[in-house]
Amino acid sequence: MKLILITLALTVSSANAELRGRTAKEILDYVDDLFRGDSSKGRMTMKISTKHWTRTLSMNFWGEGKEKSLIRILSPKKEKGTATLRAGNDIWNYLPKVRRVIKLPSSMMSASWMGSHFTNDDLVKETRMADDFDTKVSFQGEREGVEIVELTCIPKEEAVVVWGKVVIAVHKDDLTPIVSHYYDEDLDLARTMTFSELRVFGGRKLPARVSIIPSDKPAEATVITYEEIEFDLKLPDDLFTLRNLQR
Amino acid sequence: MMLLKYAWRNMWRNRRRTMITLAAVALNTAVLILFYALSIGMIEKTLRNVTGLVGGEAQAHARDYLEDQSLYKSLEKPEKIIAAANRIGVSAVPRTFGFGLAAKETKSAGAVFWGVRPEEERAFSWVNHLLKGTFLKEKPGKEVVLGKKLARQLRAEVGSEIIIVVQAADGSMGNEIYVVQGILKAIGASIDRGAVIMHEQDFRELFVLEDRIHEIAFHSKGRIDPEDLITELSSDLGQAEVKSWKELMPVLADMLRLSDILLLIFGGIFFVAAGLGVMNTMLMATYERMHEFGIQKAIGASPLRIVTDVLAEAFTLSAAGTALGALLGYGVSYYLQFHGIDLSRFSEDLTIAGIAFDPVWYTAIVPKVIVMPMLIMCWVCVLASLYPAMVAALVKPVEAIHHH
């Protein structure tokens, strides 16, 4: 969810034209501030391709601030109703088949979420990149015919993050993201996230398609396609509660 | 015979000194026998645990399975391998493995799931190695047996409901509720910490898995050497590879080798100590009898004769000492064969290289445990007396006769 939220956060930032010309940190801060206290709701599909199977999940999602998010799977039928609630640093899964909620142990944080190339950690880690990373503009200009700004984020010494480096390229004109490279602690490329198909959701221009490719399995991928997203709406107070999760 | 008789008499000239030396040799021998018996006892027990409890003397897996335990890397023709093993009278027990999450209320933990055939698992003693409850029934019934530490982590008891969530082979989320049927005693680090044992059929349902087998564990109950077993099976293996417990658990194999080396070092120290004791005694005895040796030589005794005399005395001394020591060592070892040393007060779960070790340490008495320390001790003592014997043999008669 972090990635999904970052995606949103980054793209949301593009709504504000005043950002152009600001420093890298200011961009990230702005992105975080913009998203904080905000709310969102939408529907997306997630297509997961691995060596052994390919499947498509369709789901609704809700988000509020940095701390709360809820995902509910709509299809396939076998998993319909399966839900993941993130509240603070905890992740809870609701399993409709056995009608039970289970809390994810911390040892499973780096395990895959629903078989995708997202980890549970992606859902939990706070989205405030500027807290954990020192950011600078590492490139500005034309690359492959597109005017871009490239931000390089290096984790701060005390930060507890899994990445050794994150490099984010955004369009120079509207600051919509193009591609993010995630490097592991040895600074080897671990995964690549690509943003495409710019569409307008809730008055904001966002990439509707986000794909993630793990570097160690280049033939595999998880592709998220946003069907619809709404912003700044009033969400029910009990939406992000365990009681609601089981409903 | 005369020689030994004289030696025996000479030995008792200085009663107290001989008694002390005798006691030293006897104690050394006894301690060595006891240590040897304990060491063999531990090795035998560990091997029984390693092979008989759950692991078997050898295991077959698909190539590379052990490096990357993927659900998809299954054995190609398991039934062929099983049949081949059964032909030579070896139990071959198939298993499947998968990874996922086990949870009870707010407690949850990552776990390794074992799909087993309960009736075939009876070839291994872990089916009787339960802390609470019983092993799985023959028919699948959504029941599980948990590793000891996992059960504690989940606060699970016999009868508790456990929720299991896994990534099934088709990518979907497999989830189901199971009832805890039993909790295993300590077996080994990985099983204790994370094993959830279930019926093969329940496993297949959970993981949406066709009849795949990831492991076959072979158990001949010690009749066939693992290496021979591997040779016997080699023609039926296809793409599979079979490894003996020594390859599967190199740390343990190294440890057992290390215990042999330790025994050698330990034994060496004791032999040297006993040998020096005997050398000292014999040297003193020789100097006391210098006058006598001088006369013997003067009336025509050859140096060889004197060497033989001294060595014979050393031999009677060490033979008597080791015999006493063997009696003592055997006695204590015999007692510890039935009343082991209880180590449980030092550690609740004793594991060695990840293998659970019975906290009660028994001896194992095999002939070599008694014979080897006795023989070597005798040899060492006689060898240590060569120096005093040479001193006696090489005396000049005139000087020796005046020696007082």
Side-chain angles (χ1 to χ4, degrees), chain A residues 137-207:
Chain A
V137 175
S138 50
F139 179 79
Q140 206 166 353
E142 198 183 295
R143 187 179 283 171
E144 288 164 19
V146 186
E147 286 285 318
I148 66 150
V149 176
E150 185 193 80
L151 306 177
T152 296
C153 310
I154 306 287
K156 294 177 176 175
E157 257 175 50
E158 70 280 11
V160 186
V161 290
V162 292
W163 307 117
K165 184 171 81 170
V166 182
V167 179
I168 305 166
V170 300
H171 284 109
K172 195 180 181 183
D173 54 352
D174 58 8
L175 297 176
T176 52
I178 303 163
V179 62
S180 298
H181 294 286
Y182 290 81
Y183 296 84
D184 62 20
E185 278 154 351
D186 301 325
L187 298 185
D188 291 323
L189 185 63
R191 62 185 189 185
T192 303
M193 227 173 13
T194 315
F195 306 85
S196 56
E197 294 177 19
L198 292 176
R199 269 176 63 189
V200 175
F201 291 105
R204 290 162 181 173
K205 195 159 94 175
L206 308 175

Side-chain angles (χ1 to χ4, degrees), chain B residues 98-175:
Chain B
F99 298 88
L101 184 66
K104 178 179 168 275
E105 285 145 29
T106 58
K107 304 273 180 265
S108 57
V112 185
F113 300 95
W114 294 50
V116 302
R117 298 178 188 166
E119 68 286 3
E120 293 184 33
E121 288 295 339
R122 288 213 194 110
F124 290 101
S125 61
W126 71 329
V127 298
N128 298 317
H129 201 71
L130 283 110
L131 197 66
K132 291 172 197 159
T134 59
F135 200 73
L136 299 172
K137 293 179 207 142
E138 284 189 17
K139 293 236 163 63
K142 301 249 185 296
E143 281 146 355
V144 291
V145 170
L146 302 181
K148 184 181 171 178
K149 285 183 183 156
L150 180 67
R152 197 187 301 158
Q153 197 180 342
L154 297 177
R155 308 257 162 87
E157 292 294 333
V158 172
S160 297
E161 281 191 345
I162 299 289
I163 300 147
I164 289 171
V165 188
V166 302
Q167 175 97 53
D170 64 354
S172 67
M173 298 291 291
N175 59 83

Side-chain angles (χ1 to χ4, degrees), chain A:
Chain A
M1 198 36 130
K2 175 201 181 187
L3 294 171
I4 300 166
L5 295 184
I6 289 174
T7 317
L8 292 176
L10 283 170
T11 47
V12 162
S13 71
S14 63
N16 195 328
E18 287 168 32
L19 269 179
R20 277 171 232 170
R22 293 200 177 184
T23 66
K25 186 179 180 301
E26 278 170 332
I27 296 175
L28 275 181
D29 273 346
Y30 178 83
V31 161
D32 286 331
D33 287 345
L34 197 80
F35 204 78
R36 191 173 306 142
D38 222 337
S39 62
S40 61
K41 175 188 168 185
R43 198 173 78 238
M44 63 183 177
T45 57
M46 182 183 271
K47 186 179 178 194
I48 309 162
S49 316
T50 73
K51 199 175 151 196
H52 301 281
W53 46 264
T54 297
R55 57 200 226 106
T56 304
L57 300 169
S58 164
M59 53 192 116
N60 281 335
F61 64 88
W62 297 263
E64 197 173 87
K66 301 184 288 103
E67 306 253 303
K68 296 172 182 171
S69 57
L70 175 67
I71 302 172
R72 213 180 269 280
I73 294 177
L74 303 169
S75 71
K77 207 176 167 194
K78 190 182 167 190
E79 269 114 332
K80 187 178 185 323
T82 303
T84 299
L85 170 71
R86 181 208 147 198
N89 281 323
D90 293 332
I91 289 187
W92 305 80
N93 281 318
Y94 173 64
L95 308 162
K97 185 183 169 195
V98 296
R99 281 190 269 169
R100 292 287 200 289
V101 168
I102 61 168
K103 185 172 181 276
L104 210 74
S106 50
S107 62
M108 297 287 281
M109 283 305 176
S110 55
S112 136
W113 182 76
M114 298 281 163
S116 73
H117 296 92
F118 291 96
T119 65
N120 290 302
D121 213 30
D122 288 332
L123 279 82
V124 167
K125 274 280 176 180
E126 297 201 352
T127 56
R128 200 190 288 159
M129 288 272 290
D131 274 358
D132 288 338
F133 292 87
D134 287 320
T135 309
K136 66 175 193 320
V137 175
S138 50
F139 179 79
Q140 206 166 353
E142 198 183 295
R143 187 179 283 171
E144 288 164 19
V146 186
E147 286 285 318
I148 66 150
V149 176
E150 185 193 80
L151 306 177
T152 296
C153 310
I154 306 287
K156 294 177 176 175
E157 257 175 50
E158 70 280 11
V160 186
V161 290
V162 292
W163 307 117
K165 184 171 81 170
V166 182
V167 179
I168 305 166
V170 300
H171 284 109
K172 195 180 181 183
D173 54 352
D174 58 8
L175 297 176
T176 52
I178 303 163
V179 62
S180 298
H181 294 286
Y182 290 81
Y183 296 84
D184 62 20
E185 278 154 351
D186 301 325
L187 298 185
D188 291 323
L189 185 63
R191 62 185 189 185
T192 303
M193 227 173 13
T194 315
F195 306 85
S196 56
E197 294 177 19
L198 292 176
R199 269 176 63 189
V200 175
F201 291 105
R204 290 162 181 173
K205 195 159 94 175
L206 308 175
R209 191 171 183 276
V210 182
S211 73
I212 181 162
I213 295 172
S215 298
D216 57 340
K217 292 171 198 151
E220 302 196 350
T222 294
V223 179
I224 291 174
T225 308
Y226 293 100
E227 310 288 336
E228 53 188 67
I229 311 175
E230 289 174 69
F231 291 104
D232 304 332
L233 26 74
K234 178 88 183 86
L235 295 173
D237 289 339
D238 68 345
L239 185 65
F240 303 103
T241 59
L242 280 176
R243 194 149 39 90
N244 181 55
L245 182 66
Q246 300 188 49
R247 202 154 59 206

